[in-house]
Amino acid sequence: MSSLVKREASFGMNIYQLYESTKEPFIGIYLFFRPALLIRDAELARRILTVDFNYFHDRGVHSNERTNPLSGNLFSLPGEKWKNLRTKLTPTFTSGKLKNMFTTLEDVGNAMLEYLRDEIPSGRKTIELRSLTTMYAADVIASTFFGLNINTFKDTNNSFHNLRYKLNQNTFFRTLASSANFLCPKLVDMFHLYLVNKAIVKYMVDLVKDTMEYREQNNVTRKDFMQLLLQLRNTGEVKEDGDWTTGSAKDGRKSLTIEQCAAQAFIFYIAGLETTAATVSFCLYELAQNEDVKNKLLKDINETLEKHNGEFTYDCIQDMKYLDLCILETIRKYPGLPILNRECTKTYQIPHSEYVIEEGTAVVISLMGLHRDPEYFPDPLKFMPERFLDGQRNYNDVAYFPFGEGPRTCIGLRQGKLSAKVALVKILTSFKVDAVEKQEIEFDNFSVGLIPKDGANVVLTRIE
Ligand code: HEM
């Protein structure tokens, strides 16, 4: 991990460099001091995530509820604890529930437009997309998960949005801490490389506790994830679509503690924020670079809106087929999470080979590597949404994992895609998006996700 340690590349990009350094189906690497296997072969990667999941059900990232209560979250928990929680949380993310949240998403999209119209009262202006879309994503998560109406576009300095800076600073310590949490969890407790300090834990726990108590004491029902978490805490299950009642705990016994609820809310913040912001900003950046793709998308948006009598609804957005292809292509070229990782929990014989993966070995899959490998995706740097069109597919779908795969696949994928689509339609119907200059994005040397080094800049011109 030398380029990570020298701070030349983020760890996702460091793993990508290792992927690119060879043509072997898998290679042994060291994650700092921890021996690991980097899988390059797409078939094997898919096997590990799906049919042979029983050998690889854990991520092997840091999770210790005693030293950090927020680490008891769905992303980090191992074994049975993860399995029970995943089963309970899955009904939270149905399309029916998401549909109910559409108006809330649209309100955030409108707040973003209002902000942009103030920034660009007339004519054109260069806008840095990643900061813009992170404000959007923070407000989406605040309103759909926490029931908070924070409006970052009016108050950029609010504590909910600022949390992102505390979690994602470009310092040596944070780079080391985030990589260690992901790749070398034993170092975390040993050297106190905690991603969150006590103040952040308190902030999150208090936020969840106060919101839940307020709702129960005042009989407040909101159609958001916090309501469903409260229902789960009280009744042990998330009810069918349409039932937003909080229910009550039998004998006062709750199925989740406040800390466990806060850990889930926290991971929804972390996992949803940068991934959603990245998807919107990289997509707009590519549209600005590719006039023909942009025009096709505008045609799709306008025609679909017309078909739905100008009403922008959940069903209308689902009907925008080319928009979906643009999202699929964006998260191919720019995977929200550039690596997937698992820990081998039972010694595993690699099929058709003499090699065995020992129990406890870390396994890493470079999404950036697979998604930009010309063997799997011809002309990988070209932004080509048509490659996903049925009948025109020009890629090997075994190698496409933007949301991971198998039982531990992204639980928020529908929410992530929908929020990204709402932001894209809002911006594209109100502004013309043009490139500042023709160039590929370079990535910064910190963070788990892909951060554009000099920002993702485009020129926006008012069209209404
Ligand atoms: C476009 C946006 C998003 C992308 C590209 C994305 C991508 C991913 C990826 C690649 C994984 C790892 C899957 C694996 O290891 O197999 C993941 C896991 C996860 N994501 Fe997302 N994600 C997005 C949005 C969201 C949102 C909005 C949430 C909020 C709930 C979320 C919550 C999670 C959680 C909780 C996990 C861990 C699931 C588990 O271990 O059971 N993600 N995501």
Side-chain angles (χ1 to χ4, degrees):
M1 305 295 291
S2 60
S3 47
L4 174 76
V5 176
K6 287 191 224 145
R7 308 211 62 212
E8 289 162 4
S10 65
F11 81 83
M13 289 306 284
N14 194 159
I15 298 282
Y16 176 46
Q17 289 164 357
L18 293 169
Y19 179 99
E20 293 245 282
S21 70
T22 173
K23 291 277 178 214
E24 295 295 328
F26 43 86
I27 55 167
I29 58 172
Y30 278 92
L31 303 171
F32 303 129
F33 311 105
R34 186 183 182 202
L37 200 65
L38 172 65
I39 310 291
R40 288 189 74 266
D41 178 68
E43 297 272 358
L44 179 58
R46 192 163 280 271
R47 265 198 98 91
I48 285 175
L49 299 173
T50 56
V51 286
D52 292 331
F53 179 77
N54 279 344
Y55 296 80
F56 300 97
H57 48 71
D58 294 348
R59 281 218 168 75
V61 298
H62 177 258
S63 179
N64 183 341
E65 289 165 85
R66 198 176 41 78
T67 53
N68 169 15
L70 299 185
S71 68
N73 63 61
L74 187 68
F75 188 89
S76 311
L77 282 172
E80 283 301 306
K81 279 190 175 179
W82 164 77
K83 202 172 163 197
N84 289 335
L85 193 61
R86 176 89 191 198
T87 311
K88 285 180 181 165
L89 285 175
T90 298
T92 313
F93 292 88
T94 61
S95 41
K97 297 205 172 70
L98 209 53
K99 200 170 174 175
N100 275 304
M101 294 175 199
F102 185 77
T103 329
T104 315
L105 282 183
E106 209 198 341
D107 289 345
V108 180
N110 289 337
M112 174 171 66
L113 283 189
E114 212 177 294
Y115 166 85
L116 281 174
R117 287 186 188 123
D118 285 347
E119 286 287 302
I120 316 170
S122 60
R124 59 207 319 256
K125 187 174 175 183
T126 301
I127 295 285
E128 201 288 291
L129 292 171
R130 189 55 177 259
S131 344
L132 176 82
T133 57
T134 310
M135 289 198 272
Y136 169 78
D139 281 15
V140 164
I141 292 168
S143 55
T144 57
F145 283 93
F146 291 80
L148 299 173
N149 189 5
I150 53 173
N151 202 343
T152 304
F153 295 107
K154 290 239 178 313
D155 169 21
T156 41
N157 210 12
N158 70 70
S159 52
F160 191 83
H161 175 249
N162 280 351
L163 198 56
R164 95 169 253 245
Y165 297 114
K166 295 190 181 136
L167 294 167
N168 212 2
Q169 280 159 347
N170 184 2
T171 62
F172 182 66
F173 175 78
R174 288 227 69 88
T175 304
L176 196 66
S178 56
S179 332
N181 270 270
F182 235 81
L183 304 175
C184 224
K186 284 201 180 118
L187 295 184
V188 175
D189 284 326
M190 209 182 283
F191 296 108
H192 292 253
L193 295 171
Y194 300 116
L195 267 181
V196 292
N197 56 29
K198 287 196 172 127
I200 296 180
V201 176
K202 184 170 173 351
Y203 173 82
M204 219 13 103
V205 172
D206 286 353
L207 185 60
V208 171
K209 183 166 177 277
D210 293 349
T211 314
M212 287 190 166
E213 278 178 4
Y214 179 81
R215 288 192 186 184
E216 290 205 287
Q217 283 161 12
N218 298 286
N219 272 331
V220 173
T221 303
R222 268 194 60 142
K223 291 177 181 169
D224 58 23
F225 289 100
M226 190 64 79
Q227 190 76 17
L228 299 172
L229 214 50
L230 185 54
Q231 194 180 65
L232 174 61
R233 172 170 145 83
N234 283 343
T235 66
E237 60 176 352
V238 173
K239 309 267 186 209
E240 282 174 16
D241 290 358
D243 183 349
W244 296 89
T245 53
T246 52
S248 52
K250 270 192 208 135
D251 319 324
R253 288 173 62 152
K254 310 275 187 186
S255 79
L256 293 172
T257 63
I258 286 288
E259 283 75 13
Q260 285 170 322
C261 291
Q264 309 327 312
F266 176 69
I267 199 62
F268 297 157
Y269 180 94
I270 302 231
L273 187 81
E274 298 292 348
T275 48
T276 306
T279 307
V280 183
S281 53
F282 289 135
C283 186
L284 284 170
Y285 186 84
E286 285 290 345
L287 293 171
Q289 301 275 318
N290 296 281
E291 197 72 17
D292 53 334
V293 178
K294 184 177 72 183
N295 290 336
K296 274 190 206 163
L297 178 56
L298 285 173
K299 188 165 175 284
D300 177 41
I301 292 174
N302 291 330
E303 285 178 0
T304 317
L305 273 170
E306 213 170 292
K307 185 175 146 200
H308 288 257
N309 303 321
E311 281 175 39
F312 184 52
T313 56
Y314 177 84
D315 292 331
C316 171
I317 214 162
Q318 298 299 346
D319 219 6
M320 296 178 178
K321 302 294 179 223
Y322 196 72
L323 176 62
D324 198 53
L325 302 185
C326 288
I327 298 273
L328 296 180
E329 178 66 339
T330 304
I331 53 184
R332 176 199 62 85
K333 190 170 172 188
Y334 307 94
L337 201 59
I339 66 160
L340 300 179
N341 62 330
R342 296 288 188 268
E343 184 173 280
C344 177
T345 46
K346 201 163 43 165
T347 299
Y348 178 75
Q349 169 79 50
I350 299 183
H352 320 298
S353 102
E354 73 217 62
Y355 292 95
V356 161
I357 308 179
E358 300 283 355
E359 185 182 330
T361 308
V363 170
V364 182
I365 297 163
S366 171
L367 285 191
M368 206 50 189
L370 291 167
H371 287 187
R372 291 184 175 218
D373 188 333
E375 271 196 34
Y376 298 124
F377 297 88
D379 212 350
L381 289 185
K382 191 162 167 45
F383 189 75
M384 211 193 302
E386 282 74 10
R387 66 169 99 232
F388 290 97
L389 203 57
D390 279 343
Q392 283 188 37
R393 291 199 174 183
N394 75 348
Y395 70 98
N396 181 346
D397 62 359
V398 174
Y400 185 59
F401 302 101
F403 293 104
E405 200 58 82
R408 272 204 108 136
T409 188
C410 175
I411 200 169
L413 68 94
R414 283 203 197 101
Q415 151 95 6
K417 275 176 85 175
L418 184 67
S419 324
K421 286 178 180 179
V422 169
L424 287 167
V425 174
K426 288 282 163 192
I427 292 178
L428 289 164
T429 47
S430 300
F431 293 90
K432 188 165 169 291
V433 184
D434 291 302
V436 175
E437 55 185 321
K438 190 100 184 139
Q439 67 176 45
E440 280 292 328
I441 291 218
E442 275 187 51
F443 303 107
D444 221 326
N445 61 350
F446 72 105
S447 176
V448 175
L450 300 171
I451 306 278
K453 195 168 168 201
D454 302 308
N457 296 301
V458 295
V459 178
L460 295 189
T461 310
R462 280 184 78 138
I463 51 175
E464 60 155 49

